[in-house]
Amino acid sequence: MKENVPFSNLDRNKIIQNLTKTKFDLVIIGGGITGGGIALDAAARGLKVALLEKGDFASGTSSKSTKLIHGGLRYLKQFDFWLVKEVGSERAIVHKLAPHLVLPEKMLLPLIDGGSYGKWLTSIGLKVYDILAQVSGDDKRKMLEKKEALELEPLLPKKKLKGAGYYAEYRTDDSRLTIENIKTSLSYGAIALNYAEVSAFDYTDNIISGLHFKDFISGHEFTIKSKYVISAAGPWVDELRSLNNSKKGKRLHLTKGVHLVFPHTKLPVKQSVYFDVPDGRMIFAIPRGKITYVGTTDTNYDQDKDNVKLDLADALYLIAAVNNMFPKIQLELDDIISSWAGLRPLIHEEGKSTSELSRKDEIFISDTGLISMAGGKLTGYRKMAERVVNLLSKKMEEEEGIELEECTTVQIPLCGNDFKKSKHVKKYISEIFQRIGADAFTEYDAWYLVTTYGKQTEVILEDYSIQKDKDPYIRMAKAELHYGINYEMITTPMDFFIRRTGRLYFDIESIPFLLDPILGEFKSIFKLDDSQIQAWKEKMMQELHEHSVFSLDRG
């Protein structure tokens, strides 16, 4: 495993100085999974790379997906074989790059009376899926009889159930996958900065030669020089094209996807289920530690991109879908403990509904040289990066006679990965539990640490051992925070609770208990005054409110 490269807001002035003094080969706008993947690919090929993100890393779409590295089974219904083949093949590659973070997850596809999937078509579809995605061994699909399906998931409707398809996918934490890509790019010389919004472009002979950005921490504006600029800004791609005066031809079509989180005791599925809804859509129910989450919706969106919220119609739709498939459950609005809502930056196609729009990525190049990448799926991030850096490589060869190396990211393990196989991850989880179990930690806590940080857990446990608080959970959270501040550019408590640890979604009940101790650490480390700490506390309480059932206007 590579040594961690220091990556801290405590060094912010030095990072900005490096950004402004260096002439870069490439500046990437957008610190989501696409931008992070591009940074790693380009830096690994020897380019001088900078990455700017206007909020926190992964704070847009890349923290609000279904958190699956999956092959897009439903795209077979649209005959999108190319997409299924590419992302299906990528699953095993991304798992190999971070086996602690991209975890094998068997998926159950129930076949019910009147459902959109019949037994014969499902069997054929899953077989085609296996072939396109090059699935082998135990991961190959199986067709289950009714009795076998009920043994795997007793909550399924006995009267309507006819059997099930059973196949393999992978589960991840999208925010963590993003930050690990960015951190890995640093070891190849990339420079990255969050809370830095691009405000204008510079041009030489009508070709982009740099850009201006505002640093939200200091409030100052800075300039960067660069030969090339790639916009990987997700839902904000068209805004940057407008800033560049190049928004013409194809445009983005934003759709909203919502996920609801329930205590696992309220929706105690034994494993992940991918089921159809009477309106023809498909929904996931995915158990994860203490919770089960359900998603997603797919509705047109034209409101504030920086403040995408759950609304009552979204919640009722998903609850009705769950109650229809799991009649013993009967969830209610008050059972929701958390939620997330994000945007899909799809490419607009006239006359097509939201669910019919392609999930393929596309690249736009303006007359002034701005390269924009839009569309695509979490699973395909590495191939998307390869495509756009290949395009850049071709431009550099034609314009400068510079020949870049081929893409090598298929062989670059992400930070935290020192594992050969999944079984080594499981063995390490057991080892960590043996080491922390005496301090009242559970197997879940060991699983959480390893599937969040991989072997970087060692740095956290070393810090934990010197903490003085009586409560072990406070000591561990402080150790996590110190790691995140030193190596993951944590800048605010929201970065910590939402994106670096996922607590807002997966362990929301821990936040009120940990909030004051964590705020105390921020005050001490960053030498902040009481007013800043109070403002952050109010903001975090607002986040808790907005992601919970209490935010819903029930009329």
Side-chain angles (χ1 to χ4, degrees), residues 251-452:
R251 59 185 169 84
L252 291 191
H253 184 132
L254 302 182
T255 74
K256 182 172 79 164
V258 166
H259 295 78
L260 303 181
V261 181
F262 302 94
H264 187 255
T265 50
K266 289 286 185 182
L267 184 51
V269 287
K270 290 169 72 174
Q271 63 134 80
S272 294
V273 184
Y274 185 40
F275 58 95
D276 54 351
V277 184
D279 68 6
R281 279 191 50 72
M282 298 293 294
I283 300 287
F284 290 101
I286 301 171
R288 184 188 183 110
K290 300 176 180 181
I291 59 97
T292 302
Y293 66 92
V294 174
T296 178
T297 57
D298 195 9
T299 53
N300 290 319
Y301 190 83
D302 59 3
Q303 297 167 53
D304 183 359
K305 289 190 277 293
D306 291 300
N307 192 19
V308 188
K309 292 182 178 178
L310 168 71
D311 60 39
L312 185 60
D314 300 323
L316 290 174
Y317 174 85
L318 289 172
I319 285 176
V322 173
N323 290 343
N324 181 62
M325 181 50 63
F326 305 111
K328 296 175 190 171
I329 295 297
Q330 294 309 305
L331 291 172
E332 297 177 358
L333 284 171
D334 289 342
D335 294 322
I336 300 168
I337 54 170
S338 188
S339 67
W340 64 88
L343 300 177
R344 301 177 190 86
L346 306 177
I347 311 300
H348 183 74
E349 295 176 68
E350 286 299 334
K352 287 200 173 183
S353 69
T354 55
S355 60
E356 289 173 327
L357 291 176
S358 173
R359 267 56 177 172
K360 283 180 185 172
D361 54 275
E362 292 207 31
I363 299 169
F364 312 128
I365 305 175
S366 78
D367 293 339
T368 56
L370 177 66
I371 303 168
S372 301
M373 187 161 222
K377 288 169 54 60
L378 173 66
T379 308
Y381 82 87
R382 195 194 66 82
K383 288 299 288 185
M384 289 167 63
E386 182 180 349
R387 262 193 292 283
V388 77
V389 180
N390 282 348
L391 182 148
L392 182 63
S393 174
K394 192 176 177 186
K395 279 176 73 73
M396 292 182 79
E397 192 172 355
E398 289 171 354
E399 295 169 9
E400 304 175 64
I402 296 171
E403 200 168 333
L404 293 187
E405 298 173 13
E406 296 292 313
C407 175
T408 58
T409 54
V410 72
Q411 297 157 352
I412 300 175
L414 298 183
C415 288
N417 175 16
D418 196 20
F419 307 100
K420 294 283 188 288
K421 295 179 180 176
S422 289
K423 66 180 181 181
H424 299 143
V425 177
K426 291 176 183 175
K427 185 179 177 184
Y428 187 56
I429 292 170
S430 299
E431 182 190 320
I432 294 298
F433 178 51
Q434 286 177 348
R435 288 161 62 183
I436 67 175
D439 285 355
F441 288 104
T442 64
E443 287 183 63
Y444 168 79
D445 297 314
W447 174 89
Y448 159 76
L449 283 170
V450 174
T451 59
T452 303

Side-chain angles (χ1 to χ4, degrees), residues 479-543:
E480 283 185 78
L481 177 66
H482 296 160
Y483 178 78
I485 286 174
N486 290 323
Y487 297 106
E488 297 190 343
M489 206 67 178
I490 282 178
T491 309
T492 75
M494 286 63 72
D495 303 341
F496 176 72
F497 283 115
I498 302 173
R499 289 168 289 277
R500 301 301 185 276
T501 68
R503 280 187 171 90
L504 184 67
Y505 306 140
F506 308 130
D507 193 11
I508 195 169
E509 290 166 351
S510 71
I511 295 179
F513 171 67
L514 294 173
L515 184 54
D516 283 338
I518 291 298
L519 287 171
E521 289 299 287
F522 268 96
K523 183 177 182 182
S524 170
I525 293 167
F526 290 109
K527 299 178 173 50
L528 301 168
D529 59 30
D530 287 341
S531 64
Q532 177 63 76
I533 295 302
Q534 184 59 33
W536 274 346
K537 184 169 187 175
E538 288 170 8
K539 172 63 176 166
M540 198 61 229
M541 296 307 290
Q542 182 187 348
E543 292 282 355

